Amino acid sequence: MAQNDIIKELVEHLKSLSKTDYYQIKIIPNSSPEIFDSKLGGLPYWTPDKNYPTNSDGEQLILLAQINFEREKVDSPLPTNGMLQFFITNDDMLGMNSDDQSEQNNFRVIYHEKINYNINKEDVEKLNIPTSNEKAGEDFAIIKECKISLEKGVDYIKYGDIKFDNFLKIAYKEVFKKEPNKENIYFYVLNDDERNRLDQELEINKSNHKMLGYAYFTQEDPRYDEKYRNYDTLLLQIDSESKYVKWGGTGIGNFFISKKSLLEKDFSNILYNEKFRYLY
């Protein structure tokens, strides 16, 4: 069998083994979001009766993203009602603690099970909440506020995800009808051309804004650290793109949760990872 045919078959097995539902986040260009919309940045939905999230220095956090599940068509394990919000600090690490990426001091994930549609923009503005609009042109992740929507699709494993090696090992055995002679198949069994072809077939460099599915990493999946192994579900991923988002210029941000916590709508235990891309 020709080399390209072998890689193609390997990819098909990988896709068959790893396929899972996810929701692609689509940016709606030139939109003017309201406080109840699913969106990136801007003035968040909030009610005056709740304490607004602050960081370890007492500074108010800034909205990264919010999803109104009552305006999106989603299925379990995501909520089908309420509002989910992601807040971060505008510091050098954009709210991530590299020593403990689950510490919600400089970032916060908040779920409103019920949305009060009687609240208006003026009510929220009275709370003097800082917004991404005020940070445009500086170092905040959101360049420009925009409305978003969710579209259901099918996602496949990509190199870098902690589950990739196991899926590749199973696929290799199915294609070659034998055990690999090395533990790390990607680096020590496949050659450079085969790896490049595999990556291309899996669309490893595709831009990704999503909920659920598989994460993309500019560096290493933090879940290789044993203390983060329980965060088995990608809750949110926002990638860099020229008009709307930048993570240190060209990085990516992702939030993980355990599937059990997601089903219980408990967002108190989240793994937050944001990393820039290495430039060579």
Side-chain angles (χ1 to χ4, degrees), residues 123-139:
D123 293 328
V124 182
E125 287 177 333
K126 290 176 183 177
L127 302 175
N128 295 316
I129 295 170
T131 69
S132 60
N133 298 338
E134 299 164 357
K135 301 295 179 181
E138 297 182 23
D139 295 325

Side-chain angles (χ1 to χ4, degrees), residues 35-36 43-47 66 83 85 112 114-116:
I35 60 170
F36 300 109
L43 187 69
Y45 163 79
W46 201 260
T47 56
Q66 68 179 29
M83 178 88 76
Q85 298 175 312
H112 305 264
K114 293 183 179 180
I115 301 173
N116 182 357

Side-chain angles (χ1 to χ4, degrees), residues 34-280:
E34 299 176 351
I35 60 170
F36 300 109
D37 287 329
S38 299
K39 63 179 180 175
L40 301 181
L43 187 69
Y45 163 79
W46 201 260
T47 56
D49 59 307
K50 294 183 179 180
N51 292 326
Y52 188 81
T54 58
N55 64 18
S56 54
D57 294 323
E59 299 169 337
Q60 292 176 309
L61 302 184
I62 303 170
L63 180 69
L64 173 71
Q66 68 179 29
I67 296 89
N68 185 340
F69 290 110
E70 296 173 10
R71 295 183 176 180
E72 308 295 338
K73 294 180 180 180
V74 301
D75 301 314
S76 181
L78 290 177
T80 55
N81 64 287
M83 178 88 76
L84 186 63
Q85 298 175 312
F86 299 79
F87 297 90
I88 60 176
T89 298
N90 187 37
D91 59 14
D92 291 343
M93 298 296 290
L94 291 172
M96 188 189 82
N97 180 347
S98 56
D99 294 324
D100 183 357
Q101 293 179 229
S102 64
E103 184 181 63
Q104 288 197 52
N105 278 343
N106 294 331
F107 82 93
R108 206 73 45 80
V109 178
I110 293 175
Y111 177 60
H112 305 264
E113 190 163 7
K114 293 183 179 180
I115 301 173
N116 182 357
Y117 288 101
N118 293 319
I119 296 294
N120 57 45
K121 180 181 178 182
E122 289 69 29
D123 293 328
V124 182
E125 287 177 333
K126 290 176 183 177
L127 302 175
N128 295 316
I129 295 170
T131 69
S132 60
N133 298 338
E134 299 164 357
K135 301 295 179 181
E138 297 182 23
D139 295 325
F140 192 67
I142 302 301
I143 301 171
K144 183 179 180 182
E145 178 188 9
C146 58
K147 190 174 178 179
I148 58 176
S149 64
L150 303 185
E151 182 176 298
K152 193 172 185 178
V154 178
D155 202 13
Y156 308 99
I157 195 78
K158 297 173 180 63
Y159 173 72
D161 190 289
I162 191 173
K163 302 172 186 175
F164 180 82
D165 290 343
N166 187 53
F167 279 125
L168 183 57
K169 180 183 251 185
I170 297 171
Y172 184 93
K173 287 166 64 176
E174 290 179 348
V175 172
F176 293 96
K177 312 300 181 188
K178 65 178 182 179
E179 293 279 351
N181 58 8
K182 301 283 186 180
E183 186 63 28
N184 190 324
I185 299 172
Y186 186 81
F187 278 110
Y188 299 119
V189 175
L190 302 181
N191 61 40
D192 288 345
D193 290 339
E194 290 169 336
R195 283 196 295 273
N196 289 337
R197 178 64 189 272
L198 186 72
D199 291 345
Q200 289 171 5
E201 292 286 344
L202 291 173
E203 299 181 305
I204 193 170
N205 293 318
K206 187 173 73 172
S207 176
N208 283 294
H209 308 303
K210 63 170 71 172
M211 300 190 80
L212 306 183
Y214 296 100
Y216 172 73
F217 301 95
T218 59
Q219 297 181 30
E220 184 178 74
D221 188 337
R223 295 172 298 175
Y224 279 106
D225 188 325
E226 186 68 34
K227 67 183 178 182
Y228 299 138
R229 290 290 169 84
N230 290 333
Y231 300 95
D232 55 12
T233 301
L234 177 63
L235 182 59
L236 177 75
Q237 177 169 285
I238 303 296
D239 202 351
S240 290
E241 58 175 77
S242 59
K243 290 185 179 180
Y244 297 98
V245 189
K246 61 175 181 179
W247 296 91
T250 58
I252 196 165
N254 24 51
F255 297 80
F256 299 91
I257 191 172
S258 72
K259 188 172 182 179
K260 180 178 182 294
S261 293
L262 180 54
L263 288 168
E264 294 173 352
K265 300 178 184 178
D266 177 6
F267 299 94
S268 62
N269 195 1
I270 301 289
L271 171 63
Y272 167 41
N273 181 67
E274 70 86 11
K275 294 290 174 64
F276 59 85
R277 283 181 173 85
Y278 284 124
L279 300 177
Y280 297 96

